[in-house]
């Protein structure tokens, strides 16, 4: 599995903004590297990840679980 920060650094600023909005991370005044680092920190925080998991619908959680199980094969 790829590391999160290098993956986020590959995204354009518009995609980072969309992800930041979903994760409630303010990146408005940050450059691309700082934005990616702030997002990675939020996404790797277990409490924040659990909060985001709870925001998903059952169908969204099912789709994510399918993706996660597919990477193991």
């Amino acid at each position: 599995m790829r590391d999160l920060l290098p993956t986020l650094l590959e995204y354009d600023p518009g995609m980072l903004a969309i992800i930041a909005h979903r994760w409630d991370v303010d990146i408005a005044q940050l450059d691309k590297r700082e934005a990616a680092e702030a997002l990675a920190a939020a996404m790797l925080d277990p409490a924040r990840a659990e909060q985001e998991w709870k925001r998903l619908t059952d169908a969204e959680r099912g789709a994510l679980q399918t993706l996660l199980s597919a990477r193991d094969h």
Side-chain angles (χ1 to χ4, degrees), residues 26-60:
D26 183 9
I27 63 168
Q29 304 301 317
L30 304 178
D31 65 28
K32 185 176 179 179
R33 175 166 275 287
E34 292 170 332
E37 289 171 348
L39 281 170
M43 295 171 83
L44 293 172
D45 178 303
R48 298 275 305 260
E50 182 178 352
Q51 181 182 20
E52 288 305 312
W53 183 257
K54 289 178 181 178
R55 286 174 62 177
L56 298 175
T57 66
D58 287 341
E60 291 167 332

Side-chain angles (χ1 to χ4, degrees), residues 1-71:
M1 176 180 263
R2 298 177 60 193
D3 288 332
L4 184 56
L5 181 57
T7 300
L8 291 172
L9 286 169
E10 291 179 6
Y11 293 154
D12 65 70
M15 179 61 78
L16 292 178
I18 292 168
I19 297 168
H21 177 73
R22 174 65 191 204
W23 283 80
D24 299 322
V25 176
D26 183 9
I27 63 168
Q29 304 301 317
L30 304 178
D31 65 28
K32 185 176 179 179
R33 175 166 275 287
E34 292 170 332
E37 289 171 348
L39 281 170
M43 295 171 83
L44 293 172
D45 178 303
R48 298 275 305 260
E50 182 178 352
Q51 181 182 20
E52 288 305 312
W53 183 257
K54 289 178 181 178
R55 286 174 62 177
L56 298 175
T57 66
D58 287 341
E60 291 167 332
R61 280 192 290 270
L64 187 54
Q65 288 175 323
T66 299
L67 287 173
L68 291 172
S69 66
R71 71 173 186 181

